[in-house]
Amino acid sequence: MLIVHVHVHVKPESVEAFKQATLANARESRKEPGIARFDCLQLQDDSTRFVLVEAYREADAQARHKETSHYQVWRDAVAPMMAEPRASEKFAPVPPDDYAL
């Protein structure tokens, strides 16, 4: 399993458009067999900051996700909405012994 946190800072005037585009992408992304979770979080103290939490069942599912039309539409739509380039962090789960992935 691969978990990715994508940090996004959006221009204030683009917040609602970003949310709509991102939720449309998330709905389609959740249908992909390699994706276990795909969530959009908005910072309470700063509505222009978001974290996308993407959980992939296997590492190569992220590459397959980036080849989908819904990702490419999202990427191109939100590019001009960014206040700065998005950044990501990749994580591996550290589950307790009795937790099934």
Side-chain angles (χ1 to χ4, degrees):
M1 180 167 265
L2 169 68
I3 297 124
V4 181
H5 290 184
V6 181
H7 299 271
V8 183
H9 184 197
V10 178
K11 296 173 186 172
E13 65 273 15
S14 298
V15 167
E16 288 307 313
F18 175 81
K19 285 171 35 176
Q20 293 306 311
T22 301
L23 293 175
N25 179 52
R27 277 191 292 276
E28 293 303 312
S29 297
R30 289 181 184 129
K31 296 175 185 176
E32 294 175 47
I35 293 183
R37 288 193 66 94
F38 199 102
D39 300 317
C40 177
L41 308 174
Q42 186 176 26
L43 190 63
Q44 288 184 343
D45 296 351
D46 183 349
S47 64
T48 67
R49 296 195 179 266
F50 295 83
V51 176
L52 306 182
V53 179
E54 306 169 7
Y56 297 94
R57 290 186 169 87
E58 59 273 337
D60 62 344
Q62 183 185 29
R64 290 193 308 271
H65 167 65
K66 290 183 177 182
E67 294 173 359
T68 64
S69 61
H70 58 268
Y71 168 79
Q72 293 169 7
V73 166
W74 174 83
R75 178 198 62 207
D76 295 345
V78 301
M81 300 177 193
M82 301 288 167
E84 59 189 74
R86 62 187 187 274
S88 65
E89 301 172 301
K90 295 181 178 180
F91 298 88
V94 182
D97 292 339
D98 61 346
Y99 186 81
L101 293 178

